[in-house]
PDB file of all heavy atoms in Angstrom:
ATOM      1  N   PHE A  30     -16.003   3.058  11.181  1.00 97.00           N
ATOM      2  CA  PHE A  30     -15.015   3.426  12.249  1.00 97.00           C
ATOM      3  C   PHE A  30     -14.212   4.601  11.893  1.00 97.00           C
ATOM      4  O   PHE A  30     -14.032   5.580  12.621  1.00 97.00           O
ATOM      5  CB  PHE A  30     -14.284   2.245  12.587  1.00 97.00           C
ATOM      6  CG  PHE A  30     -13.193   2.596  13.592  1.00 97.00           C
ATOM      7  CD1 PHE A  30     -13.534   2.722  14.975  1.00 97.00           C
ATOM      8  CD2 PHE A  30     -11.896   2.778  13.208  1.00 97.00           C
ATOM      9  CE1 PHE A  30     -12.456   3.145  15.870  1.00 97.00           C
ATOM     10  CE2 PHE A  30     -10.874   3.057  14.112  1.00 97.00           C
ATOM     11  CZ  PHE A  30     -11.121   3.301  15.435  1.00 97.00           C
ATOM     12  N   TYR A  31     -13.568   4.565  10.724  1.00 96.00           N
ATOM     13  CA  TYR A  31     -12.618   5.604  10.372  1.00 96.00           C
ATOM     14  C   TYR A  31     -13.289   6.918  10.135  1.00 96.00           C
ATOM     15  O   TYR A  31     -12.674   7.890  10.456  1.00 96.00           O
ATOM     16  CB  TYR A  31     -11.815   5.122   9.164  1.00 96.00           C
ATOM     17  CG  TYR A  31     -10.831   4.017   9.445  1.00 96.00           C
ATOM     18  CD1 TYR A  31     -11.304   2.720   9.269  1.00 96.00           C
ATOM     19  CD2 TYR A  31      -9.638   4.228   9.952  1.00 96.00           C
ATOM     20  CE1 TYR A  31     -10.453   1.658   9.589  1.00 96.00           C
ATOM     21  CE2 TYR A  31      -8.806   3.150  10.361  1.00 96.00           C
ATOM     22  CZ  TYR A  31      -9.226   1.853  10.100  1.00 96.00           C
ATOM     23  OH  TYR A  31      -8.394   0.878  10.475  1.00 96.00           O
ATOM     24  N   ARG A  32     -14.531   6.935   9.650  1.00 96.00           N
ATOM     25  CA  ARG A  32     -15.275   8.162   9.364  1.00 96.00           C
ATOM     26  C   ARG A  32     -15.781   8.718  10.696  1.00 96.00           C
ATOM     27  O   ARG A  32     -15.594   9.878  11.025  1.00 96.00           O
ATOM     28  CB  ARG A  32     -16.383   7.899   8.449  1.00 96.00           C
ATOM     29  CG  ARG A  32     -16.040   7.767   6.975  1.00 96.00           C
ATOM     30  CD  ARG A  32     -17.310   7.530   6.193  1.00 96.00           C
ATOM     31  NE  ARG A  32     -17.047   7.518   4.805  1.00 96.00           N
ATOM     32  CZ  ARG A  32     -17.748   6.849   3.897  1.00 96.00           C
ATOM     33  NH1 ARG A  32     -18.889   6.167   4.300  1.00 96.00           N
ATOM     34  NH2 ARG A  32     -17.443   6.834   2.611  1.00 96.00           N
ATOM     35  N   GLU A  33     -16.536   7.941  11.383  1.00 96.00           N
ATOM     36  CA  GLU A  33     -17.233   8.380  12.626  1.00 96.00           C
ATOM     37  C   GLU A  33     -16.375   8.590  13.815  1.00 96.00           C
ATOM     38  O   GLU A  33     -16.527   9.555  14.547  1.00 96.00           O
ATOM     39  CB  GLU A  33     -18.393   7.444  12.886  1.00 96.00           C
ATOM     40  CG  GLU A  33     -19.392   7.335  11.759  1.00 96.00           C
ATOM     41  CD  GLU A  33     -20.377   6.184  11.936  1.00 96.00           C
ATOM     42  OE1 GLU A  33     -20.437   5.553  13.036  1.00 96.00           O
ATOM     43  OE2 GLU A  33     -21.006   5.897  10.842  1.00 96.00           O
ATOM     44  N   GLN A  34     -15.420   7.730  14.051  1.00 96.00           N
ATOM     45  CA  GLN A  34     -14.567   7.781  15.212  1.00 96.00           C
ATOM     46  C   GLN A  34     -13.298   8.567  15.055  1.00 96.00           C
ATOM     47  O   GLN A  34     -12.820   9.188  15.998  1.00 96.00           O
ATOM     48  CB  GLN A  34     -14.279   6.385  15.767  1.00 96.00           C
ATOM     49  CG  GLN A  34     -15.512   5.513  16.040  1.00 96.00           C
ATOM     50  CD  GLN A  34     -16.451   6.200  16.969  1.00 96.00           C
ATOM     51  OE1 GLN A  34     -16.148   6.802  17.991  1.00 96.00           O
ATOM     52  NE2 GLN A  34     -17.760   6.213  16.524  1.00 96.00           N
ATOM     53  N   LEU A  35     -12.734   8.627  13.792  1.00 93.00           N
ATOM     54  CA  LEU A  35     -11.473   9.236  13.600  1.00 93.00           C
ATOM     55  C   LEU A  35     -11.638  10.498  12.727  1.00 93.00           C
ATOM     56  O   LEU A  35     -10.728  11.263  12.575  1.00 93.00           O
ATOM     57  CB  LEU A  35     -10.500   8.326  12.945  1.00 93.00           C
ATOM     58  CG  LEU A  35     -10.166   7.102  13.838  1.00 93.00           C
ATOM     59  CD1 LEU A  35      -9.176   6.194  13.066  1.00 93.00           C
ATOM     60  CD2 LEU A  35      -9.638   7.443  15.197  1.00 93.00           C
ATOM     61  N   GLY A  36     -12.818  10.686  12.184  1.00 92.00           N
ATOM     62  CA  GLY A  36     -13.017  11.922  11.326  1.00 92.00           C
ATOM     63  C   GLY A  36     -12.398  11.927  10.022  1.00 92.00           C
ATOM     64  O   GLY A  36     -12.152  12.975   9.366  1.00 92.00           O
ATOM     65  N   LEU A  37     -11.964  10.774   9.523  1.00 94.00           N
ATOM     66  CA  LEU A  37     -11.302  10.666   8.182  1.00 94.00           C
ATOM     67  C   LEU A  37     -12.329  10.605   7.063  1.00 94.00           C
ATOM     68  O   LEU A  37     -13.531  10.216   7.269  1.00 94.00           O
ATOM     69  CB  LEU A  37     -10.402   9.441   8.164  1.00 94.00           C
ATOM     70  CG  LEU A  37      -9.395   9.386   9.239  1.00 94.00           C
ATOM     71  CD1 LEU A  37      -8.584   8.041   9.053  1.00 94.00           C
ATOM     72  CD2 LEU A  37      -8.460  10.499   9.120  1.00 94.00           C
ATOM     73  N   VAL A  38     -11.953  11.065   5.935  1.00 95.00           N
ATOM     74  CA  VAL A  38     -12.797  11.072   4.700  1.00 95.00           C
ATOM     75  C   VAL A  38     -12.038  10.263   3.605  1.00 95.00           C
ATOM     76  O   VAL A  38     -10.829  10.236   3.519  1.00 95.00           O
ATOM     77  CB  VAL A  38     -13.086  12.457   4.166  1.00 95.00           C
ATOM     78  CG1 VAL A  38     -13.878  13.291   5.264  1.00 95.00           C
ATOM     79  CG2 VAL A  38     -11.832  13.213   3.828  1.00 95.00           C
ATOM     80  N   VAL A  39     -12.886   9.646   2.710  1.00 96.00           N
ATOM     81  CA  VAL A  39     -12.270   9.024   1.583  1.00 96.00           C
ATOM     82  C   VAL A  39     -11.835  10.074   0.553  1.00 96.00           C
ATOM     83  O   VAL A  39     -12.551  10.891   0.207  1.00 96.00           O
ATOM     84  CB  VAL A  39     -13.384   8.012   0.917  1.00 96.00           C
ATOM     85  CG1 VAL A  39     -12.780   7.402  -0.313  1.00 96.00           C
ATOM     86  CG2 VAL A  39     -13.800   7.024   1.920  1.00 96.00           C
ATOM     87  N   VAL A  40     -10.552   9.928   0.267  1.00 94.00           N
ATOM     88  CA  VAL A  40      -9.903  10.902  -0.632  1.00 94.00           C
ATOM     89  C   VAL A  40      -9.737  10.223  -2.040  1.00 94.00           C
ATOM     90  O   VAL A  40      -9.495  10.885  -3.053  1.00 94.00           O
ATOM     91  CB  VAL A  40      -8.635  11.512  -0.207  1.00 94.00           C
ATOM     92  CG1 VAL A  40      -8.927  12.340   1.014  1.00 94.00           C
ATOM     93  CG2 VAL A  40      -7.564  10.514   0.164  1.00 94.00           C
ATOM     94  N   HIS A  41      -9.745   8.874  -2.077  1.00 94.00           N
ATOM     95  CA  HIS A  41      -9.518   8.216  -3.325  1.00 94.00           C
ATOM     96  C   HIS A  41      -9.959   6.753  -3.229  1.00 94.00           C
ATOM     97  O   HIS A  41      -9.761   6.141  -2.174  1.00 94.00           O
ATOM     98  CB  HIS A  41      -8.034   8.248  -3.745  1.00 94.00           C
ATOM     99  CG  HIS A  41      -7.726   7.590  -5.026  1.00 94.00           C
ATOM    100  ND1 HIS A  41      -7.929   8.116  -6.289  1.00 94.00           N
ATOM    101  CD2 HIS A  41      -7.200   6.391  -5.311  1.00 94.00           C
ATOM    102  CE1 HIS A  41      -7.621   7.347  -7.245  1.00 94.00           C
ATOM    103  NE2 HIS A  41      -7.115   6.214  -6.687  1.00 94.00           N
ATOM    104  N   ARG A  42     -10.581   6.242  -4.271  1.00 97.00           N
ATOM    105  CA  ARG A  42     -11.057   4.831  -4.382  1.00 97.00           C
ATOM    106  C   ARG A  42     -10.568   4.340  -5.701  1.00 97.00           C
ATOM    107  O   ARG A  42     -10.574   5.040  -6.705  1.00 97.00           O
ATOM    108  CB  ARG A  42     -12.498   4.642  -4.250  1.00 97.00           C
ATOM    109  CG  ARG A  42     -13.083   4.729  -2.881  1.00 97.00           C
ATOM    110  CD  ARG A  42     -14.569   4.436  -3.016  1.00 97.00           C
ATOM    111  NE  ARG A  42     -15.263   4.541  -1.832  1.00 97.00           N
ATOM    112  CZ  ARG A  42     -15.737   3.601  -1.072  1.00 97.00           C
ATOM    113  NH1 ARG A  42     -15.677   2.341  -1.495  1.00 97.00           N
ATOM    114  NH2 ARG A  42     -16.332   3.814   0.091  1.00 97.00           N
ATOM    115  N   GLU A  43     -10.208   2.996  -5.791  1.00 96.00           N
ATOM    116  CA  GLU A  43      -9.690   2.404  -6.974  1.00 96.00           C
ATOM    117  C   GLU A  43      -9.665   0.946  -6.849  1.00 96.00           C
ATOM    118  O   GLU A  43      -9.424   0.372  -5.834  1.00 96.00           O
ATOM    119  CB  GLU A  43      -8.356   2.996  -7.269  1.00 96.00           C
ATOM    120  CG  GLU A  43      -7.631   2.550  -8.463  1.00 96.00           C
ATOM    121  CD  GLU A  43      -6.249   3.089  -8.535  1.00 96.00           C
ATOM    122  OE1 GLU A  43      -5.822   4.060  -7.841  1.00 96.00           O
ATOM    123  OE2 GLU A  43      -5.488   2.705  -9.481  1.00 96.00           O
TER     124      GLU A  43
END
Side-chain angles (χ1 to χ4, degrees):
F30 171 78
Y31 291 95
R32 283 181 175 151
E33 297 164 15
Q34 304 308 314
L35 301 179
L37 301 177
V38 297
V39 176
V40 296
H41 181 78
R42 283 183 184 249
E43 178 179 353

